[in-house]
Amino acid sequence: MSRPRVVILGAGVAGHTSAAFLRKWLGDEAEVTVISPRPDYNWIPSNIWVGVGLLQPDQVMFPLQPIYQRKGITFHQAKATVLHPEGLDEDRQPFVEAESTLETSPGLLLRVPYDYLINATGPKLSFEATPGLGPRGHSLSVCTAPHAQEASRALDEAVARMKKGDRQRFLVGTGHGTCTCQGAAFEYLVNLEFELRARGVREKADITYLTNEFELGDFGMGGIHIRRGGYVTPSNIFTESLLAERGLRWVTQAHVKGLEPGCASLEFLNGEDGEERFDLAMLLPPFKGVGLKALDRQGADITERLFAPSGFMRVDADYQAKPFEAWLASDWPRTYQSPAFPNIFAAGIAFAPPHPISRPRQSPRGTAITPAPPRTGMPSAMIGRAVARSIYSMIWGAKEPTTTASMAEMGAACVASAGNNPFRGTAASITVFPIVPDFERYPEFGRDLNHTFGEIGLAGHWIKILLHHLFIYKAKMRPFWSFIPE
Amino acid sequence: MTAVYTPFDQGRRAQGSFATKPTDFTKSLRTNVPWQILRFVVINLKMIRVIWKSHH
């Protein structure tokens, strides 16, 4: 009997973690294959520092092929396009169709058979959702290392103009009403301010934070509460304080309708229109699924059976539409197994969340202005590992997934940089438990206040540096890598 | 269920006026090396506790 074949689509945090653990646990008992359109691994949390010119892209990226070769993982540099979970009439072996992205054979069609499939494709950066948004339009991004490098160059040019005496307007935040990753925008904002101070031009800069959050500190998680100074204080108080202290202006409840050179047109939650003018804008795009299709064995389109309209994969979540007040922690998936095909899983950003975490809101014109739920590095890695463990167990005979990793049952530790300097830098160290609030277990605040904590200081910056090196070491699968927690 | 927004003030003059601001002492502690070494240990322990709880 041939070895079971596990195919992983995507080599980001979730996909790479799955591949690494499957190889470690399965040894030579299974064939592990990764299909990713890009040749490199990118430690995305450190892109912020590339975006302000403090790191180079090669310090946050490394080539995957040598590592996979060393570990016996097959790697195809290709973009998965179509799933055939039933195989074909003449051959029932499930397979994935992918188009090569190698320069030597662009577009070459690959057919990769699988027994188990992990969809860890991450998001499509949907810049097209807002006219004029993105590096091909009129704003910058730090979502990829090359984008961040472009942002760094634009910052250098802005600083040069400021040194000549010009004032510059910076606009940082979210480029659409349904964006997620406010934490990344926030990190870029405060790092930008720190860097402008370090370069001696802060007084020439007007910096605005533009966000789709209802109030500061929501971060797509409905905000958090922290015990401090005898009070349980919401995160908007801390976030507002951080911005006010640094002389940063903020605009909340905003959807970006479109960008033209130097101007963002806005729609607010109250239905009013507005605009923000800028010389440099770093605005994050909304995310959607990468657009995988699925066909049955006769070639009929079954994409809707596997994927939500957003393009993210349906898993074992409760997708029944219900009002905010009826949302439950148990709506969130635990095993990430596809209900349509038990040998398919989705990990990281690729799974469809049952609903947002923040309360959904829309303008009188019906425009949704609500953060989408974040899925940061730690939960993505934990989901990737849990899915890998379930597949390992199923290969050895388990009938069902054996390992769970619900975002409503796990916490997250997050370090948000607020300035990069070994003695003057700071970062906000935050722990949250659970990520998705559970108002049945924790009726008042939805989270365990003994495990939900936040503090800003130099120690956080040291931890951020430590995590940068630890996680790149782990991703390179160096000796004892698996002892480093997700 | 979606909630329709009620009017608000985006005016710059009002912004930050009532924000909580750190005292000079609080700000100095943020970059005070001996204090931050202690906080480094404490924060790591807190994070390890959350990671442990998440894995079990």
Side-chain angles (χ1 to χ4, degrees):
Chain A
M1 187 181 160
S2 63
R3 294 188 301 167
R5 287 166 289 199
V6 187
V7 172
I8 299 149
L9 309 180
V13 172
H16 188 64
T17 303
S18 297
F21 277 105
L22 281 165
R23 170 49 69 228
K24 175 183 159 56
W25 292 327
L26 288 165
D28 292 332
E29 298 296 327
E31 208 174 291
V32 179
T33 300
V34 174
I35 301 174
S36 173
R38 285 178 293 275
D40 301 306
Y41 180 85
N42 178 200
W43 176 242
I44 291 170
S46 295
N47 284 358
I48 298 298
W49 289 337
V50 177
V52 291
L54 296 173
L55 289 181
Q56 292 303 310
D58 62 2
Q59 291 173 284
V60 297
M61 293 166 76
F62 57 83
L64 288 163
Q65 179 66 45
I67 290 154
Y68 286 159
Q69 199 168 357
R70 172 161 53 87
K71 291 291 177 185
I73 296 169
T74 307
F75 179 58
H76 295 298
Q77 192 190 315
K79 182 185 172 193
T81 50
V82 185
L83 308 185
H84 293 264
E86 299 176 349
L88 300 172
D89 260 342
E90 58 274 23
D91 178 3
R92 299 293 173 84
Q93 172 64 52
F95 66 96
V96 178
E97 261 178 48
E99 287 173 10
S100 169
T101 56
L102 283 168
E103 279 181 19
T104 50
S105 54
L108 181 73
L109 207 62
L110 305 173
R111 182 183 280 200
V112 186
Y114 67 83
D115 299 301
Y116 293 92
L117 180 77
I118 302 175
N119 172 19
T121 41
K124 178 182 187 299
L125 304 175
S126 189
F127 289 110
E128 72 281 359
T130 302
L133 182 70
R136 288 184 187 169
H138 311 297
S139 64
L140 300 156
S141 145
V142 290
C143 294
T144 68
H147 284 177
Q149 191 177 30
E150 211 176 321
S152 164
R153 285 195 208 107
L155 173 61
D156 288 342
E157 288 166 16
V159 169
R161 289 192 291 272
M162 292 157 91
K163 284 189 171 168
K164 284 182 192 162
D166 293 350
R167 281 199 83 75
Q168 294 285 287
R169 292 159 301 187
F170 295 86
L171 185 64
V172 177
T174 53
H176 191 272
T178 60
C179 281
T180 181
C181 270
Q182 287 78 12
F186 189 80
E187 270 190 282
Y188 189 75
L189 174 82
V190 285
N191 271 275
L192 170 73
E193 194 273 338
F194 186 88
E195 194 54 27
L196 291 176
R197 263 190 287 149
R199 298 191 197 187
V201 290
R202 175 65 183 91
E203 74 285 357
K204 293 281 182 194
D206 296 317
I207 310 174
T208 300
Y209 181 51
L210 176 70
T211 179
N212 58 346
E213 296 158 286
F214 184 73
E215 57 188 3
L216 292 177
D218 181 283
F219 295 121
M221 306 167 60
I224 59 171
H225 288 82
I226 293 167
R227 273 202 203 108
R228 178 67 61 84
Y231 289 83
V232 176
T233 307
S235 48
N236 75 309
I237 298 290
F238 294 110
T239 313
E240 190 172 295
S241 171
L242 221 135
L243 265 58
E245 180 192 343
R246 287 161 174 74
L248 304 171
R249 174 177 168 256
W250 60 91
V251 176
T252 56
Q253 306 175 8
H255 162 69
V256 181
K257 291 190 292 184
L259 277 96
E260 288 174 10
C263 183
S265 303
L266 310 177
E267 177 184 344
F268 291 107
L269 205 46
N270 65 352
E272 288 177 8
D273 290 323
E275 63 175 35
E276 283 292 325
R277 299 201 165 266
F278 60 84
D279 298 295
L280 183 154
M282 196 300 288
L283 298 173
L284 299 178
F287 293 168
K288 64 179 189 181
V290 297
L292 280 170
K293 297 268 177 221
L295 302 179
D296 72 7
R297 61 176 177 268
Q298 276 98 35
D301 194 322
I302 54 166
T303 306
E304 282 182 15
R305 273 179 70 195
L306 276 95
F307 294 93
S310 59
F312 295 122
M313 186 174 265
R314 292 181 200 276
V315 289
D316 61 320
D318 181 353
Y319 292 110
Q320 192 187 350
K322 46 182 144 177
F324 174 73
E325 288 73 16
W327 290 356
L328 295 171
S330 55
D331 296 341
W332 286 74
R334 303 183 83 232
T335 67
Y336 303 90
Q337 186 182 37
S338 163
F341 295 95
N343 62 339
I344 298 180
F345 293 77
I349 295 175
F351 83 84
H355 43 65
I357 301 174
S358 304
R359 180 187 282 272
R361 292 179 169 92
Q362 63 180 39
S363 74
R365 277 179 257 172
T367 306
I369 305 181
T370 297
R375 278 152 287 169
T376 56
M378 184 174 160
S380 293
M382 287 183 65
I383 293 167
R385 181 182 165 138
V387 165
R389 192 69 194 179
S390 287
I391 290 175
Y392 164 79
S393 304
M394 290 166 82
I395 286 173
W396 286 107
K399 299 283 180 222
E400 291 177 346
T402 53
T403 310
T404 62
S406 167
M407 283 173 59
E409 295 166 11
M410 72 166 86
C414 169
V415 184
S417 172
N420 183 342
N421 182 282
F423 297 105
R424 289 181 293 106
T426 54
S429 309
I430 300 160
T431 63
V432 185
F433 191 95
I435 300 169
V436 174
D438 183 344
F439 287 97
E440 287 178 302
R441 281 181 76 187
Y442 310 106
E444 193 167 5
F445 301 109
R447 296 196 175 90
D448 182 346
L449 295 189
N450 293 320
H451 292 90
T452 300
F453 152 88
E455 175 175 329
I456 187 164
L458 179 58
H461 175 66
W462 294 336
I463 294 170
K464 180 95 179 169
I465 297 278
L466 182 70
L467 294 181
H468 168 88
H469 292 292
L470 271 180
F471 285 128
I472 287 179
Y473 181 92
K474 180 177 182 175
K476 287 182 176 174
M477 297 167 75
R478 300 268 190 220
F480 308 110
W481 63 269
S482 61
F483 288 98
I484 300 168
E486 282 72 48
Chain B
M1 181 181 287
T2 51
V4 174
Y5 168 79
T6 52
F8 67 111
D9 177 15
Q10 289 274 359
R12 187 171 182 177
R13 283 169 60 194
Q15 238 183 10
S17 310
F18 292 96
T20 308
K21 289 200 178 165
T23 61
D24 288 344
F25 177 68
T26 300
K27 282 199 272 190
S28 72
L29 279 184
R30 285 181 188 166
T31 50
N32 178 291
V33 173
W35 175 248
Q36 290 299 318
I37 289 171
L38 176 69
R39 298 314 299 165
F40 180 82
V41 175
V42 172
I43 295 167
N44 271 296
L45 289 173
K46 283 175 183 267
M47 286 184 167
I48 288 166
R49 206 164 60 132
V50 167
I51 291 164
W52 181 262
K53 196 173 160 76
S54 300
H55 278 273
H56 294 87

